[in-house]
Amino acid sequence: MSRVSRFVRTSSLSLFFGALFLVTLAGQAFAGWHQVNAEQAASGLGRYSFIQYLGSAAFAVDVVENWQSEYMQFLLYIVLTVWLLQRGSPESKELDRGGQESDKDQLIGRYATADSPAWAKAGGWRTGLYSWSLGGVMGVIFVLAWLAQSITGRAAFNEQRLERLQDPISWTAYVANADFWSRTLQNWQSEALAVGTMVVFAIYLRQRGSPESKPVGAPHTSTGIEG
Amino acid sequence: MPVPSRAAIVLPLERGDQAGCTCFSEVITALLINRELPARTVADTTSSGSACRYSAVVRRLRIVVVSAIALLFGTACSSGEGDDPADGTVSGAVTVATSFHDLVASGEPASACFLLSPSARTELQNAAAKPCPAALADEALPSPGEMHETAQFGSMAQVRYANDVVFLTRFHNGWRVVAAGCTAPTTASGVYDCAVEGS
């Protein structure tokens, strides 16, 4: 097997989702461009070129409002599963392991192994920071995407207000506006539903071979076992 | 505003390069809004070997002609800056809004109608049951006064004057007025009531 083939096989999960992201983003851009131009034409307003649409607030807010909610979902899932448990779910840790666990369990400091990451071995603030790096990066991306949603959402909302012959509103007024919270909460509720149902469905249902599922023959009461 | 001597305005014939586009648009804009040309434009165009002079014979038709040219020419000059009416930024919207008011004030509603969006023009004509120039003249739009504030979001812009608020939309060939002669909203909806208003 060549190096390229081996790389593709051993990174197929990230490569697939990377490619799917690019394809679907391009599809969203193309469909969104047609949608916005249909609305502009129906209102007797000027149309966007494709390049103009790619740089528009209308496209940007549609993209980043989904980004923020996805990163919010994973931030909560990564951090809350440190403490919150679910009997019978492979998404939960075993019921007696709630919390940040011991250094020995986490292979940090003097319990680090030879191939542990350098900052896991280092101790002190570097190990502390590295211990929260996954949730921290997800959190930073979530906050930045949510901020970007507020900025681009305000611009898109103000474009609609000008179309209706209304004055534009400030950023502070926008983040208190129903449009901002409607965009935000419609995404958050769907993330909460999807994650919540996955946690519960995985207690009773199985997907053979998936690490997100218990083994097919595992009892419903077993917790923290992945297939 | 002082009206420049048309005999002194020299237009370059070479329109292929971007510099020519911007320069030509500045001349059109100056004609449209009846103001002095920027010094650079006059100097540059005067130095051009290939030039033509607007004569007094065509003066009466100049506004209609340059308005039509501006509509066509805007497509090729959309990346220009400053006072280019085809400029997609808010300064282009200001140029068109100001030109619109100047043309109405100078008794040239036919030219002002070129700067209306198709929907605003149609609604104006339908509401008055008259051609656009006559309908626009009947509206007796207020003198806008000093410009106070501008805003642009996507394909829409708003230019606020002391006595008027103008709303514009961006087409592929530049900004067009969708509403003018607007009075401050009096209802909770915050919607302006405008003498000229597209859908």
Side-chain angles (χ1 to χ4, degrees):
Chain A
M1 186 181 286
S2 70
R3 285 179 62 180
V4 173
S5 299
R6 191 179 305 117
F7 174 76
V8 169
R9 181 176 164 277
T10 56
S11 303
S12 55
L13 194 57
S14 57
L15 288 174
F16 173 80
F17 278 102
L20 185 63
F21 165 70
L22 294 176
V23 169
T24 52
L25 184 65
Q28 180 191 348
F30 193 69
W33 175 52
H34 280 281
Q35 181 198 17
V36 79
N37 273 344
E39 292 170 358
Q40 293 285 103
S43 301
L45 301 171
R47 298 187 185 192
Y48 283 91
S49 69
F50 187 61
I51 298 298
Q52 282 175 331
Y53 179 68
L54 291 182
S56 72
F59 176 58
V61 70
D62 286 349
V63 170
V64 294
E65 77 173 32
N66 286 282
W67 288 6
Q68 63 86 4
S69 69
E70 300 300 336
Y71 281 97
M72 187 276 298
Q73 170 195 352
F74 280 104
L75 167 66
L76 290 183
Y77 206 51
I78 291 163
V79 173
L80 292 182
T81 50
V82 174
W83 292 279
L84 302 184
L85 306 167
Q86 178 60 55
R87 181 186 301 276
S89 178
E91 299 301 319
S92 169
K93 296 194 289 187
E94 292 163 20
L95 299 178
D96 58 352
R97 292 183 60 200
Q100 296 198 69
E101 304 180 12
S102 67
D103 288 0
K104 185 177 181 182
D105 289 334
Q106 290 291 310
L107 305 177
I108 55 177
R110 65 194 179 96
Y111 299 103
T113 60
D115 53 358
S116 290
W119 280 32
K121 298 176 186 172
W125 67 269
R126 280 175 291 191
T127 298
L129 182 65
Y130 189 65
S131 298
W132 280 82
S133 56
L134 183 57
V137 168
M138 289 291 186
V140 167
I141 296 174
F142 158 61
V143 170
L144 291 177
W146 201 21
L147 177 65
Q149 180 200 321
S150 72
I151 294 168
T152 56
R154 174 193 170 236
F157 185 63
N158 277 341
E159 183 178 14
Q160 293 173 351
R161 286 183 64 86
L162 292 179
E163 289 170 11
R164 296 191 295 262
L165 308 183
Q166 295 172 305
D167 284 328
I169 62 173
S170 66
W171 180 82
T172 50
Y174 180 69
V175 295
N177 188 279
D179 185 78
F180 175 68
W181 287 103
S182 173
R183 283 183 178 275
T184 297
L185 294 173
Q186 69 169 314
N187 284 283
W188 288 4
Q189 60 84 14
S190 65
E191 307 304 345
L193 177 68
V195 171
T197 50
M198 182 173 167
V199 167
V200 175
F201 287 176
I203 298 171
Y204 306 102
L205 306 177
R206 305 287 185 270
Q207 182 60 55
R208 183 170 181 164
S210 173
E212 302 305 314
S213 166
K214 292 192 281 193
V216 177
H220 295 332
T221 53
S222 66
T223 306
I225 300 173
E226 295 181 342
Chain B
M1 271 184 239
V3 179
S5 164
R6 305 301 167 200
I9 297 173
V10 184
L11 300 177
L13 296 181
E14 301 88 357
R15 300 170 193 169
D17 59 24
Q18 192 55 49
C21 281
T22 303
C23 179
F24 189 60
S25 294
E26 286 176 352
V27 175
I28 290 172
T29 304
L31 286 165
L32 277 171
I33 65 174
N34 284 342
R35 66 166 176 73
E36 294 288 356
L37 281 170
R40 181 178 64 77
T41 305
V42 175
D44 290 352
T45 54
T46 305
S47 66
S48 169
S50 304
C52 61
R53 289 179 182 276
Y54 273 70
S55 71
V57 177
V58 297
R59 188 172 300 165
R60 292 179 66 83
L61 293 173
R62 66 180 163 76
I63 290 295
V64 173
V65 170
V66 295
S67 297
I69 292 172
L71 285 171
L72 295 171
F73 201 76
T75 307
C77 292
S78 58
S79 60
E81 293 178 351
D83 290 337
D84 182 354
D87 179 0
T89 67
V90 74
S91 64
V94 171
T95 300
V96 171
T98 304
S99 302
F100 175 78
H101 266 299
D102 286 348
L103 289 165
V104 170
S106 61
E108 296 171 290
S111 303
C113 283
F114 274 109
L115 299 179
L116 289 175
S117 72
S119 67
R121 199 159 48 230
T122 301
E123 295 218 1
L124 181 65
Q125 291 174 150
N126 290 347
K130 291 179 180 177
C132 179
L136 190 56
D138 286 352
E139 290 295 340
L141 295 178
S143 175
E146 192 178 340
M147 189 184 75
H148 284 170
E149 211 173 336
T150 61
Q152 185 207 342
F153 294 97
S155 64
M156 298 298 298
Q158 182 193 52
V159 183
R160 301 173 67 89
Y161 298 92
N163 306 318
D164 194 12
V165 178
V166 178
F167 293 85
L168 303 102
T169 186
R170 184 181 58 206
F171 286 89
H172 70 283
N173 54 356
W175 292 96
R176 296 293 175 267
V177 174
V178 290
C182 302
T183 53
T186 55
T187 62
S189 69
V191 177
Y192 281 82
D193 184 25
C194 303
V196 176
E197 183 178 323
S199 58

